[in-house]
Amino acid sequence: MNQILTDPAGRLPLDEPRWRRMTRAEIEHFVRALQSAFEVVGVQEQGNRLTLARLDDPAALILEFPPHVHSPKKFLFPNWEKLFRFRLGGGVLLEPERAATPRVIFGMHPCDLHAVQVLDNCLFEGEADSAYRAKREVTILIGVDCVPDNHCFCTSMGTDRVAEGFDLFFHRLDGGAYLVQTGSKRGEALLCRYAPLVGERPSEPPLPLQVKQCPTRLDFPFESLAPLLEKVYEHPVWEEVGERCLGCGACTMLCPTCYCFNVEDRLDLNLAGGERVRTWDSCQFDQFTKVAGGGEFRGDQGDRQRHRFFRKYKYLWDKYQRTACVGCGRCSRECLSRIEPVPLLNRLFDEQARPALNLAPGAEYRPRLAEILYVAQLTETEKLFRLRLPESIEFQPGEFLEISVFGLGEAPFTIASAPIPGDEVDVVVRAAGTLTQAMHRLKPGDTVGVRGPFGKGFSLEDFLGRDVLLVAGGMGLITLRSLLLGILARRERFGRVLLLYGARTVGHFLFRDELLAWHRGGEIDSRFAALGGDNSWIVTRGDITHLFKDLDVVAERTTAAVSGPARMYRCVNPLLFRLGIAEERLFLNLERHMKCGLGKCGKCRINDICVCESGPIFPYTRVKHLKEAIER
């Protein structure tokens, strides 16, 4: 074999590429000399069309040709290739295929040289494809420059120029001469051996970088293709393209980087032997993914087109940091259905980069209508409202709704009912301002606006299997009522439940009927305190801290929840810790004046925490550093 091809270092790039001038006549002499040792392939005119084929006459070689000429892939990875022959009869005798023919491909555009690098990545990976390797190792690659046409988008893919992966590269100069650039050691050896006069010439200055113009181009960097496609797997564009696609496979057959194939046996006419052949196949064919039993896991043409795009622009990028598309435009140039990658990819990018069109701006602030089913007077200043929502909701104890009285605004109200999925909820409203006083005038059958639920509440999972200590002050019982109802619905799954509740007077106690029922029923150990007023209930006199006197709890198995005014926490929290309650087993309700419910308005922000987003229910360990929450 030619010594130039057998040199193991021959394909390595030169430390310093050399540039030498050659005339057209010298190129023809060079080709003729090469033909003595190689099969030379080049672009030539055959039957009124340009084709890449074996070159017999060096004068017929065309070095300036349009990009629509078919790629050189067929000489490295033929569309039909015999792997071996076999003979039948009494046993199978295998006959290997003969060695690959040494070849020079004279005239490869930069995009096609990049395509060979893609094939190298894929076919040399793991157990290398020996049939491809055999041809690749004995093939000299000689590049020529090109002028992109309307289908090319090589400038978008970074393949309009090439710095490696070739043996020689011919650049056209003004006046008809060429400047030949050596790209490998065997390219240098080839030039010195088969064009010795040229090889002896001193190196000339390299050409300045030439800027090419492609009218077709991506609107974004090609490095963004893989992340883009990751977001659009379910995009309807694939179905649209699939409906247009004829499934002819022309896009993949003409692609310089596609290498899918099928292997089959072909018997001789005398049935005494045959050959195993490899033929090109296409992921766009309807039988390509058919498996035993008749199933086809990519049976829709839209799925096949999506696979083609993902294979080109994502899967190989994830693996090699190289796209499998070189922007040559052959697929769009020959597609009968005019499926063009660039407009499709630009459309996807534009849709992803552009903010989603909101058909109802401000919809997240727009309440839905809820009907008032029931109203009950709890105290002189508090009423309970039962609402029927427009749809069923799920919530945790401690989550809240934003309720609107149109013309007066909206305000947040904690859900007081049991945390059971449904379309009916209870809220408690204290008549304090204009909006809440207006709500007190509403009656069953009236409607209010509702948004939510919002926030993060108590998780019942934190209390399962443990004793529960609940400490409520004033209206803080609203939140704990929801938690209590959730516990009572699964009472057998919790240990001892102890409720400490304090208010200004017994007349200010919320849910008095329920408190008495819980106390008398024995399922909850309920203890009450009042600062003043009548003492018809015979409760402890004083604030809620008096209920901690002689309190018997088993701290290591107790989880505590506290809900009330912030000033109450300054007194209660130290008492809980004195009982031995662990910080991670204490949960606080940090209700603030929440306005938007979306974490945007800043009304409920405490230091670095937005209460309506991260709470209002917090483990003590999460908020113990917040002086605004506990100490003020």
Side-chain angles (χ1 to χ4, degrees):
M1 182 180 289
N2 193 306
Q3 187 176 3
I4 293 175
L5 297 177
T6 57
D7 182 359
R11 288 172 59 188
L12 296 177
L14 291 171
D15 294 333
E16 273 192 44
R18 303 186 65 186
W19 302 70
R20 301 177 180 88
R21 186 177 296 263
M22 289 185 74
T23 64
R24 172 67 196 198
E26 288 174 327
I27 291 174
E28 292 182 15
H29 285 299
F30 180 45
V31 172
R32 187 168 288 107
L34 290 174
Q35 288 175 325
S36 65
F38 300 90
E39 176 186 273
V40 179
V41 170
V43 174
Q44 54 200 293
E45 187 172 352
Q46 291 183 351
N48 296 322
R49 64 189 298 266
L50 296 179
T51 184
L52 184 66
R54 176 173 175 167
L55 194 66
D56 295 321
D57 181 5
L61 176 65
I62 298 174
L63 293 180
E64 287 78 43
F65 54 90
H68 65 250
V69 175
H70 290 183
S71 83
K73 177 179 72 172
K74 61 184 177 180
F75 294 103
L76 295 169
F77 193 82
N79 58 333
W80 183 95
E81 182 175 19
K82 181 170 63 177
L83 299 176
F84 58 83
R85 280 195 56 81
F86 56 85
R87 285 184 287 163
L88 304 176
V92 177
L93 178 62
L94 302 180
E95 299 175 359
E97 174 64 344
R98 61 187 177 86
T101 303
R103 180 179 286 123
V104 174
I105 303 179
F106 205 123
M108 296 179 64
H109 286 167
C111 59
D112 286 329
L113 289 167
H114 279 280
V116 172
Q117 295 179 41
V118 174
L119 293 175
D120 286 352
N121 285 147
C122 298
L123 296 176
F124 286 161
E125 181 191 29
E127 185 173 348
D129 188 298
S130 59
Y132 174 78
R133 180 189 290 275
K135 295 177 180 61
R136 180 72 175 88
E137 288 180 345
V138 297
T139 301
I140 302 291
L141 306 181
I142 298 181
V144 294
D145 230 327
C146 69
V147 177
D149 69 6
N150 290 335
H151 290 276
C152 294
F153 55 102
C154 52
T155 53
S156 295
M157 305 306 295
T159 55
D160 54 319
R161 56 182 64 92
V162 63
E164 59 183 9
F166 58 85
D167 297 297
L168 296 172
F169 198 99
F170 283 77
H171 301 269
R172 178 71 181 264
L173 301 174
D174 294 336
Y178 293 82
L179 201 60
V180 57
Q181 173 189 359
T182 53
S184 70
K185 293 181 178 180
R186 70 180 184 181
E188 176 71 17
L190 197 76
L191 198 63
C192 292
R193 180 167 180 176
Y194 295 99
L197 294 179
V198 176
E200 292 173 359
R201 290 173 185 162
S203 181
E204 298 193 15
L207 287 176
L209 190 64
Q210 299 177 4
V211 178
K212 298 179 182 179
Q213 298 295 330
C214 286
T216 301
R217 58 183 180 271
L218 294 176
D219 296 335
F220 56 95
F222 70 86
E223 293 89 348
S224 300
L225 280 164
L228 168 66
L229 290 180
E230 189 167 356
K231 301 175 183 176
V232 296
Y233 189 85
E234 301 293 345
H235 197 284
V237 71
W238 310 121
E239 184 177 351
E240 297 170 18
V241 173
E243 290 175 355
R244 292 163 50 197
C245 179
L246 301 177
C248 67
C251 53
T252 55
M253 297 297 175
L254 294 169
C255 176
T257 67
C258 280
Y259 59 89
C260 291
F261 61 85
N262 192 21
V263 175
E264 58 186 34
D265 286 356
R266 296 185 178 179
L267 289 173
D268 298 335
L269 291 177
N270 61 11
L271 303 182
E275 54 193 15
R276 180 157 297 174
V277 297
R278 171 163 69 183
T279 59
W280 287 356
D281 206 344
S282 173
C283 62
Q284 300 305 295
F285 291 163
D286 58 4
Q287 301 291 313
F288 184 74
T289 57
K290 195 168 186 178
V291 295
E296 193 168 358
F297 58 84
R298 202 181 299 128
D300 182 78
Q301 200 62 43
D303 293 340
R304 297 177 192 133
Q305 279 289 339
R306 176 176 60 195
H307 176 76
R308 179 171 80 95
F309 276 81
F310 272 61
R311 179 70 174 166
K312 292 297 175 193
Y313 302 110
K314 183 182 188 312
Y315 297 151
L316 266 69
W317 177 269
D318 292 344
K319 200 168 190 178
Y320 303 115
Q321 293 295 291
R322 179 197 297 276
T323 66
C325 173
V326 294
C328 66
R330 290 184 175 96
C331 55
S332 58
R333 196 178 288 114
E334 303 296 337
C335 180
L336 298 175
S337 299
R338 294 291 180 260
I339 297 172
E340 302 180 13
V342 171
L344 187 151
L345 294 170
N346 282 340
R347 168 189 166 183
L348 291 174
F349 179 79
D350 183 57
E351 291 179 6
Q352 293 297 312
R354 185 179 63 232
L357 181 63
N358 192 340
L359 299 179
E364 65 274 19
Y365 297 99
R366 190 168 301 161
R368 299 164 296 168
L369 294 181
E371 180 187 1
I372 298 175
L373 297 178
Y374 169 79
V375 180
Q377 189 83 39
L378 298 181
T379 70
E380 288 184 0
T381 54
E382 281 88 22
K383 283 186 177 182
L384 179 143
F385 291 82
R386 182 159 296 158
L387 308 178
R388 176 181 287 137
L389 305 177
E391 59 187 23
S392 178
I393 64 169
E394 295 184 11
F395 64 93
Q396 292 180 318
E399 294 184 18
F400 63 96
L401 297 172
E402 294 279 354
I403 298 181
S404 296
V405 177
F406 296 105
L408 297 176
E410 70 175 359
F413 296 91
T414 300
I415 301 172
S417 46
I420 300 171
D423 61 355
E424 294 184 10
V425 295
D426 294 343
V427 295
V428 175
V429 180
R430 169 179 285 178
T434 304
L435 184 146
T436 53
Q437 289 174 3
M439 283 194 67
H440 269 231
R441 292 192 292 269
L442 298 176
K443 55 188 181 298
D446 291 338
T447 58
V448 292
V450 173
R451 292 191 298 121
F454 297 114
K456 294 181 180 178
F458 292 105
S459 172
L460 287 174
E461 303 299 321
D462 291 326
F463 298 86
L464 282 176
R466 298 180 61 81
D467 293 345
V468 179
L469 172 59
L470 305 178
V471 184
M475 294 189 70
L477 184 61
I478 299 171
T479 300
L480 294 190
R481 182 210 189 206
S482 179
L483 177 59
L484 262 173
L485 293 175
I487 290 173
L488 291 174
R490 297 187 288 174
R491 183 64 185 88
E492 72 284 355
R493 302 186 64 181
F494 300 86
R496 180 189 179 200
V497 179
L498 177 61
L499 171 64
L500 307 183
Y501 181 42
R504 281 180 288 172
T505 68
V506 172
H508 287 90
F509 283 2
L510 300 175
F511 311 111
R512 278 174 286 188
D513 292 342
E514 292 181 2
L515 290 174
L516 287 173
W518 291 337
H519 181 66
R520 292 167 179 167
E523 288 189 301
I524 299 175
D525 182 353
S526 302
R527 306 183 188 187
F528 310 114
L531 287 171
D534 73 89
N535 198 13
S536 56
W537 279 32
I538 314 177
V539 300
T540 299
R541 285 295 189 178
D543 62 35
I544 197 170
T545 60
H546 289 74
L547 298 178
F548 283 81
K549 186 177 180 181
D550 300 325
L551 190 65
D552 55 329
V553 297
V554 182
E556 58 268 20
R557 70 180 187 213
T558 299
T559 297
V562 180
S563 179
R567 62 181 179 273
M568 184 185 85
Y569 295 175
R570 295 198 298 270
C571 303
V572 167
N573 289 348
L575 295 176
L576 291 170
F577 297 139
R578 193 177 302 167
L579 289 172
I581 303 297
E583 289 186 355
E584 63 272 15
R585 289 296 180 180
L586 171 60
F587 294 88
L588 306 180
N589 178 16
L590 300 189
E591 291 181 355
R592 279 291 197 270
H593 177 63
M594 294 172 283
K595 190 67 175 175
C596 71
L598 302 169
K600 300 293 188 294
C601 70
K603 295 280 187 179
C604 64
R605 184 168 292 280
I606 307 175
N607 292 22
D608 60 331
I609 285 178
C610 190
V611 174
C612 71
E613 263 191 328
S614 305
I617 308 304
F618 294 92
Y620 176 81
T621 53
R622 176 72 175 86
V623 296
K624 64 181 182 180
H625 68 291
L626 301 179
K627 293 185 178 182
E628 285 188 10
I630 298 173
E631 296 184 11
R632 296 180 185 176

